[in-house]
Amino acid sequence: MREDSEFVRAAGQLGRPLLQGSFGMAATTHWVATAVAQAVLERGGNAFDAAVAAGFVMHVVEPHLNGAGGDMVAMVAPAGAEVAVVGGQGPAPRRATVEHYLGEGLSAVPGSGALAAAVPGAVEAWLWMLREHGSWDVADVLAYAIHYAEVGQPLGPAAARTVATMAGHFQEHWPSSAATWLVDGEVPAAGDVMKLPAYARTLRRLVEAAGDVATGGRSADPDAGRAARIDGVLREWKTGFVADAAAAFAGRVHRHSDGGDYAGVIEAADFADFVVVTEEPLEIEFRGHIVAKASFWAQGPVLLQALAILDTFGDAELDPSTEIGVHNVVEALKLAMADRDAYYGDAADNHELLRQLLTPEYARSRAALITGEASGVWRPGVIRGVEPYRPPLRSAGTGEPEGTGTGEPTVRPTGVTKGDTSHIDVVDRHGNMVSATPSGGWLQSNPTIPELGFCLGTRLQMTWLDPASPSALAPGRRPRTTLSPTVLSRNGVAVSALGSPGGDQQDQWQLVYLLRTLVGGYDPQEAIEAPMFHTTAVAQSFWPRHWTPKGVVVEDRLGDDVIEGLRRRGHDVTVAGPWSLGRLSAVLRDPETGLLSAAANPRGMQGYAAGR
């Protein structure tokens, strides 16, 4: 953190403290998951054991935001080793072809229903992390989620609102979801204890499939026995009762977001085919730190591009609390997002060419496009060897209406909070660090699979039914995910793991946080609580995929003078509530002293950090 900046500070006391200590830290979007992660650390587990235990608990305590049928992207930084990306983003099923969807009369992948389901990747990614980097037995890690699923957990206000919104749809079209989420046909109230017995049975069956589940086992090599038991769980998930039940249920005709009734195309073989991918991250240097992100199959490079563009400006022009700072950040994000929509996707053969987007020369050429006025033009750059794709740019109100259960569950374009996707950051005393963003498979995405107690996700809605698109729907190809955790390093050592829910906003909110901490000298908690904003001048990743050419959403705490200044510059400003945008959390470690820190978002009074 810098100490010499003149960035504007907001008046008032922080809602949460910056935690500091030397043993271990966890920060997540739900206090129960944070408590579970810290409990694992206290019982001798490492950061990876803690993150996995918290990840499965998230399925129970944030069911409207993520689930076992969803996806996850993580960044792992084992002590003394390189940072790596864990790709728990499943691909399109074998039968998910453009021709099939067009043949169903669709012009876009629906926002809910099994036709939107990619192969679930989150569970396999969590188990991969546990096997490769953890130390605990799988039964001990899953015990926390089993407990909450069997005993129950009070339903949070946002989850209760989600169930209320979906209740009629459940009763009329998705009766298995009505049986799971309605109590005697009635909508549960916030605070009512909700049990998920079917999901508890699924987890218990998976543990049974592991064979000998006693911690340490009876093997001459305890760690080999531990790995074998995790493999047993994976086999049952990929080729046993989970894959069979999910495929059979998805194959039944059911209601989708466009009002049509279709059968899904996912098959049990798709589960068997999926393999978790790990890879080196993309990186750039910014203000003495290496910022690491997933590659161009995700949206993470948007953050790297925006940082590179803004690095050409002086510090005073980057303050996110001032009119000029907000303007420059928004304009840089528009340029980076246009490149995302024109070039990003899971076409592996062009990723080396796309690295041109991260060069200083390219960043300077993009920065030169930023003037003092808001741009309303979609402006991707030009890179050698790759043809830019122009996605359909539809303004709100001119396309399809929002369907039941659709969209990313963080904020509406108006800024009204809908909830927040899940995020987990953990660091332990050994220097192991993980940042993970699990999402998808939320209760409103697909009908609940009765035998399993969870539903499939909807990540395929991020693909286009146009083969020319770099993120076109194609069997075996991953949709371009919005999930975007971050790791910062200095001198080859990881110093921070951070991230945020929020769909298209994830990297936008992280950008503002990084400017405030790395340039402005804010401490992490101060940066998280400071007024937040984002642009909606993007081809939205979630159905119905609208675009607002000059759209900016700001918290009203940004101040009347800044807001009016943005409007004078031509921005189409939507003013949201004072504590409505941004869902960040972060953990940090000083490699010289071993001092650990953690910060979490106070908005919604659900995210918490813990540690000592």
Side-chain angles (χ1 to χ4, degrees):
M1 293 180 293
R2 294 164 56 96
E3 303 296 337
D4 58 348
S5 171
E6 296 182 359
F7 271 29
V8 174
R9 295 295 206 280
Q13 188 174 0
L14 291 179
R16 301 277 172 82
L18 175 68
L19 304 186
Q20 294 186 298
S22 57
F23 178 78
M25 295 280 169
T28 82
T29 51
H30 195 286
W31 61 271
V32 170
T34 298
V36 165
Q38 191 66 21
V40 172
L41 295 178
E42 297 289 350
R43 291 178 56 194
N46 64 24
F48 307 107
D49 301 316
V52 176
F56 278 91
V57 166
M58 284 288 197
H59 300 161
V60 182
V61 300
E62 291 192 333
H64 59 309
L65 312 173
N66 81 128
D71 25 60
M72 186 265 281
V73 179
M75 307 282 288
V76 294
E82 299 293 326
V83 178
V85 178
V86 181
Q89 176 55 66
R94 296 176 178 185
R95 293 173 51 220
T97 64
V98 169
E99 292 75 18
H100 178 84
Y101 287 64
L102 295 178
E104 293 280 11
L106 295 164
S107 60
V109 177
S112 66
L115 282 178
V119 180
V123 165
E124 292 195 46
W126 285 126
L127 293 174
W128 180 94
M129 188 186 301
L130 182 65
R131 189 187 195 281
E132 297 301 316
H133 297 296
S135 63
W136 271 27
D137 190 89
V138 64
D140 295 325
V141 169
L142 295 182
Y144 294 91
I146 292 171
H147 166 82
Y148 286 106
E150 289 182 337
V151 174
Q153 173 67 18
L155 198 65
R161 288 193 298 270
T162 301
V163 174
T165 298
M166 296 297 297
H169 186 79
F170 286 170
Q171 291 170 321
E172 185 174 358
H173 300 295
W174 294 357
S176 60
S177 294
T180 301
W181 295 106
L182 304 183
V183 181
D184 296 326
E186 298 296 323
V187 176
D192 287 355
V193 174
M194 292 295 295
K195 301 178 182 180
L196 298 177
Y199 186 48
R201 288 192 296 271
T202 293
L203 294 178
R204 286 199 177 279
R205 287 183 69 181
L206 289 171
V207 169
E208 291 168 3
D212 177 14
V213 298
T215 300
R218 292 188 289 269
S219 169
D221 182 349
D223 197 60
R226 187 187 75 89
R229 288 189 290 278
I230 296 171
D231 289 343
V233 173
L234 278 168
R235 280 194 299 273
E236 192 62 32
W237 176 272
K238 293 168 69 69
T239 62
F241 77 95
V242 172
D244 290 341
F249 189 74
R252 303 174 189 173
V253 173
H254 58 280
R255 181 59 52 91
H256 284 57
S257 60
D258 69 330
D261 296 318
Y262 317 100
V265 294
I266 195 167
E267 298 176 338
D270 295 309
F271 282 73
D273 288 345
F274 176 64
V275 176
V276 173
V277 175
T278 60
E279 63 186 27
E280 294 181 359
L282 292 179
E283 298 176 338
I284 68 163
E285 183 176 359
F286 181 80
R287 304 303 170 95
H289 290 73
I290 298 298
V291 185
K293 301 292 290 186
S295 190
F296 295 102
W297 53 270
Q299 77 167 358
V302 162
L303 178 62
L304 304 183
Q305 284 195 247
L307 285 170
I309 292 169
L310 293 172
D311 205 22
T312 66
F313 289 81
D315 287 6
E317 299 173 289
L318 301 180
D319 186 346
S321 296
T322 65
E323 175 190 329
I324 186 60
V326 175
H327 172 77
N328 287 334
V329 169
V330 165
E331 294 303 297
L333 282 166
K334 289 178 186 177
L335 295 169
M337 284 291 194
D339 283 341
R340 182 198 74 169
D341 296 332
Y343 294 115
Y344 291 16
D346 194 27
D349 58 350
N350 72 353
H351 281 192
E352 284 303 313
L353 290 172
L354 295 186
R355 287 178 180 267
Q356 297 173 66
L357 297 171
L358 303 179
T359 63
E361 296 78 15
Y362 185 82
R364 286 192 293 270
S365 72
R366 300 295 272 162
L369 298 175
I370 297 176
T371 69
E373 299 295 320
S375 171
V377 181
W378 184 77
R379 296 184 293 180
V382 177
I383 60 175
R384 297 184 305 276
V386 186
E387 184 71 21
Y389 174 74
R390 182 181 179 86
L393 298 175
R394 301 181 300 176
S395 298
T398 62
E400 295 157 304
E402 185 172 339
T404 303
T406 64
E408 198 281 332
T410 302
V411 293
R412 299 182 186 275
T414 60
V416 176
T417 301
K418 296 169 67 179
D420 52 82
T421 297
S422 302
H423 185 77
I424 299 168
D425 298 308
V426 186
V427 61
D428 63 30
R429 65 188 185 279
H430 309 294
N432 297 307
M433 195 175 291
V434 58
S435 177
T437 309
S439 188
W442 43 65
L443 65 88
Q444 62 272 35
S445 63
N446 260 291
T448 302
I449 304 163
E451 302 94 325
L452 303 179
F454 63 83
C455 59
L456 296 173
T458 60
R459 193 63 60 176
L460 291 187
Q461 67 183 290
M462 296 182 177
T463 64
W464 298 102
L465 298 183
D466 181 351
S469 169
S471 56
L473 179 69
R477 178 181 288 180
R478 290 173 291 185
R480 189 201 69 212
T481 183
T482 54
L483 305 180
S484 194
T486 302
V487 167
L488 305 182
S489 300
R490 276 200 324 264
N491 300 320
V493 179
V495 297
S496 182
L498 63 119
S500 174
D504 293 320
Q505 288 81 244
Q506 288 187 26
D507 287 297
Q508 299 194 54
W509 293 338
Q510 290 180 58
L511 174 64
V512 177
Y513 168 89
L514 290 177
L515 291 174
R516 284 186 164 130
T517 54
L518 301 185
V519 183
Y522 284 44
D523 78 38
Q525 188 65 41
E526 187 181 16
I528 287 172
E529 295 195 25
M532 190 59 70
F533 59 88
H534 62 264
T535 179
T536 53
V538 302
Q540 293 182 351
S541 296
F542 288 88
W543 194 91
R545 314 200 72 169
H546 290 145
W547 179 66
T548 308
K550 297 184 179 182
V552 179
V553 183
V554 304
E555 287 185 335
D556 62 11
R557 293 184 297 131
L558 202 57
D560 292 342
D561 289 346
V562 173
I563 292 169
E564 290 309 311
L566 293 173
R567 286 177 170 148
R568 285 194 300 270
R569 291 175 181 268
H571 296 282
D572 180 5
V573 181
T574 297
V575 180
W579 294 91
S580 57
L581 306 178
R583 296 290 183 272
L584 288 118
S585 65
V587 297
L588 302 91
R589 180 177 183 272
D590 185 332
E592 296 179 359
T593 65
L595 182 67
L596 308 178
S597 305
N601 164 59
R603 297 165 177 86
M605 298 301 292
Q606 185 167 293
Y608 274 87
R612 65 176 179 87

